[in-house]
Amino acid sequence: MNPLEDIAEAFSFLEQEHGFLCVTRRYYPSLFGNAVVEYESPVLRVKVVRDRTQYFCAFAVRRDPIEWVDLDTLLHDLGEQRELDDLSSGELLSLEAVAASVRRHFVRLAALFDDRVYAESCARFNEYKRARVRTLFGDRFADQLEARRPTRP
């Protein structure tokens, strides 16, 4: 199978159990075999990316502009630190592991994007992302990024 078929099979539960439709399927054989598959429901988007040999997943509400939130951030927000550590170990960024994690936590993941709690969820997501940048790159770099960040009305 090619990566698009692999992703479609692993994430078929989105269509079969949660009413999503596959809206984007892109395969880049000349770019290390990278691929992108996007799904949409009436309120939520899910993106699966194959980057070389690793797979990543992100969620977004279905409105513009699209603001993707990666699975790592979402698992952290749900308090699933052990699973996050396992997925982040590198060896476990397999398609099967990522799909299993999304499937296992799907209801809780989707709830983070409910209109009633989405603003609070975004605030937590952004705080976690800022803390992660500080940890990985230091205060000086994080401060520079923060200073360049556009403010929202």
Side-chain angles (χ1 to χ4, degrees):
M1 280 197 273
N2 72 41
L4 296 176
E5 293 169 350
D6 294 341
I7 293 169
E9 183 177 316
F11 281 84
S12 63
F13 67 91
L14 290 175
E15 294 173 296
Q16 295 169 0
E17 299 171 21
H18 301 289
F20 280 76
L21 295 174
C22 181
V23 295
T24 302
R25 292 170 49 105
R26 293 189 200 116
Y27 177 49
Y28 306 96
S30 62
L31 296 173
F32 308 104
N34 294 348
V36 176
V37 178
E38 292 181 22
Y39 298 89
E40 284 187 355
S41 75
V43 295
L44 194 59
R45 296 173 173 173
V46 177
K47 174 173 61 173
V48 182
V49 176
R50 178 181 189 257
D51 185 354
R52 299 182 189 212
T53 61
Q54 296 182 328
Y55 289 84
F56 303 92
C57 187
F59 286 65
V61 293
R62 192 169 168 200
R63 62 180 140 187
D64 292 320
I66 300 173
E67 295 183 28
W68 294 105
V69 183
D70 61 77
L71 183 59
D72 291 0
T73 299
L74 298 173
L75 290 174
H76 172 80
D77 197 68
L78 293 178
E80 296 294 339
Q81 192 61 45
R82 183 174 178 176
E83 187 157 351
L84 175 58
D85 292 343
D86 288 346
L87 282 173
S88 298
S89 71
E91 295 176 14
L92 295 179
L93 285 174
S94 70
L95 177 60
E96 294 78 14
V98 172
S101 183
V102 170
R103 187 175 201 169
R104 185 169 31 260
H105 302 291
F106 183 80
V107 171
R108 293 172 60 215
L109 291 166
L112 295 171
F113 294 87
D114 184 282
D115 280 340
R116 293 168 290 192
V117 299
Y118 184 61
E120 293 86 11
S121 294
C122 283
R124 291 191 311 274
F125 301 158
N126 290 330
E127 183 58 36
Y128 174 67
K129 289 176 188 177
R130 284 191 293 276
R132 193 163 56 176
V133 167
R134 286 193 184 284
T135 299
L136 293 173
F137 302 107
D139 290 338
R140 184 175 174 194
F141 184 76
D143 291 342
Q144 289 173 352
L145 281 179
E146 196 66 29
R148 292 181 183 172
R149 190 169 157 222
T151 57
R152 291 195 173 182

